[in-house]
Amino acid sequence: MDDKELECYRKAGKIASKIRNEGKTLIKPGVKLLDVAEKVESRILGVGAKIAFPVNICINDVAAHYAPKINDELVFSSKDVVSLDVGVHIDGFIADTACTVDLSGEFGKLLDVNEKSLEEAIAAIKPGASVSLIGEIVQDTIQSAGFKPIENLTGHEVKQYDLHAGLSIPNIKVPYDWRIEEGMVLAIEPFATDGYGRVVESKKPEIYSMIDRKPTRMREARIIMKEMEDRESLPFAERWLSKKVSPLKIPLAVNELLSKNIITGYPPLHEMKKGIVSQFEHTVIVLEDGCEVTTL
Ligand code: CO
């Protein structure tokens, strides 16, 4: 990794960390998810960085991929466990970080062991470490407190303008032996639950990304495609499109793009048995003898 790249990863990490911490303080009963998402996203742009993916705000049994809709009225309640997942990039070099807030006051143990599993996974990251070992550490830590890791969600390598590149970092022991290499940048994200330990897809996506560039005759679809290209194919929220296309025309245009396989959607992921899900995440750069956390 050259110096410029390293500097961008570090800068993105610092910004993501600060904005995650600020965003966390906004999560309170009665507040709209939409307001938190918009504040966090405009803060990222306000400090001169770019948004790597729409802010994910997930409540209770939702583990990932919920982004507030256009005019979303959903508010936090005093019983909620809320995760906030923030992605920032500088010139495409990404920092991906998440934390969980327990408004209910009943899930402290779940959050603590989840955070501990992240710290222990990070402590084991170095060149040559097997991803299965990292997964085993996460699994053992979470299970020792009587909870389960989400077995079908993983951490992931990031590369310039590529949020899910190459290597996956499992949250359980796995029967393969991929190795971590020096210079890799990894988003490590264990999820813990008091449910079954798997997620399933639900409902309609609010988050999409571009997978291919193809012609389409629909004007609004072309406008959306241009927006996606300007984002170098990083994920986007349907909500963002209302600034460019009439909200009434968005569903039709999105369907056109989906049916032509120009974009793909990421529906919210729910815990299979409606367990409460917590998530903590940091981005790390793998160095010669360990790793550097960019989002501390
Ligand atoms: Co994340």
Side-chain angles (χ1 to χ4, degrees):
M1 184 181 304
D2 65 32
D3 287 351
K4 191 223 161 219
E5 202 171 322
L6 188 63
E7 192 189 315
C8 290
Y9 275 123
R10 284 178 172 154
K11 193 171 166 197
K14 228 174 175 174
I15 291 169
S17 162
K18 189 165 185 287
I19 291 177
R20 177 201 65 221
N21 291 345
E22 288 171 7
K24 194 175 158 181
T25 67
L26 304 173
I27 297 170
K28 289 180 187 142
V31 171
K32 279 186 194 173
L33 279 71
L34 179 61
D35 289 345
V36 174
E38 289 193 329
K39 277 182 188 156
V40 169
E41 288 170 358
S42 67
R43 190 87 180 96
I44 295 172
L45 299 173
V47 297
K50 297 262 173 67
I51 302 170
F53 54 82
V55 174
N56 285 214
I57 304 177
C58 297
I59 296 181
N60 298 335
D61 64 310
V62 183
H65 298 169
Y66 188 87
K69 313 183 231 306
I70 300 164
N71 301 323
D72 200 319
E73 292 293 324
L74 196 58
V75 297
F76 301 111
S77 97
S78 58
K79 299 241 178 274
D80 287 342
V81 173
V82 183
S83 68
L84 176 72
D85 195 340
V86 177
V88 168
H89 77 86
I90 303 277
D91 292 342
F93 300 106
I94 297 167
D96 182 354
T97 183
C99 65
T100 302
V101 181
D102 175 19
L103 297 176
S104 76
E106 289 170 22
F107 290 90
K109 216 178 124 194
L110 177 72
L111 271 58
D112 284 350
V113 75
N114 187 185
E115 200 166 9
K116 189 169 158 229
S117 73
L118 174 60
E119 284 162 12
E120 292 192 355
I122 287 172
I125 288 176
K126 59 179 182 192
S130 118
V131 297
S132 185
L133 173 72
I134 307 298
E136 192 176 355
I137 290 170
V138 168
Q139 181 171 26
D140 286 351
T141 306
I142 292 173
Q143 284 180 352
S144 70
F147 299 109
K148 289 187 178 143
I150 302 284
E151 62 187 29
N152 58 340
L153 287 176
T154 66
H156 48 95
E157 191 175 354
V158 301
K159 287 184 179 159
Q160 189 178 23
Y161 291 112
D162 194 350
L163 185 57
H164 288 259
L167 197 67
S168 294
I169 311 295
N171 292 318
I172 53 167
K173 189 174 187 230
V174 289
Y176 45 82
D177 193 33
W178 304 335
R179 301 277 165 164
I180 289 167
E181 292 168 20
E182 186 178 346
M184 282 180 166
V185 180
L186 305 171
I188 310 295
E189 49 179 331
F191 296 77
T193 182
D194 63 353
Y196 184 84
R198 278 190 79 81
V199 287
V200 289
E201 284 188 353
S202 77
K203 299 188 285 185
K204 182 192 160 297
E206 294 300 328
I207 301 173
Y208 298 91
S209 72
M210 187 162 171
I211 45 175
D212 200 4
R213 193 182 196 297
K214 286 180 199 165
T216 160
R217 291 171 64 96
M218 193 190 291
R219 186 178 158 269
E220 289 77 15
R222 286 203 304 270
I223 295 172
I224 295 173
M225 207 158 70
K226 168 79 172 60
E227 285 296 297
M228 308 304 93
E229 281 178 328
D230 291 349
R231 280 186 58 67
E232 306 281 347
S233 302
L234 284 169
F236 65 97
E238 190 168 317
R239 165 172 46 91
W240 296 348
L241 303 175
S242 61
K243 293 185 187 85
K244 301 281 173 181
V245 174
S246 153
L248 292 172
K249 301 225 166 122
I250 291 173
L252 207 63
V254 166
N255 276 337
E256 162 79 5
L257 294 165
L258 283 171
S259 70
K260 292 209 158 139
N261 289 317
I262 295 171
I263 63 172
T264 186
Y266 304 93
L269 300 171
H270 288 246
E271 213 289 317
M272 207 166 88
K273 291 272 161 42
K274 302 255 172 255
I276 297 289
V277 181
S278 134
Q279 176 202 14
F280 286 88
E281 178 179 25
H282 279 307
T283 299
V284 307
I285 302 169
V286 183
L287 303 174
E288 197 182 340
D289 52 0
C291 70
E292 172 183 322
V293 182
T294 66
T295 51
L296 264 192

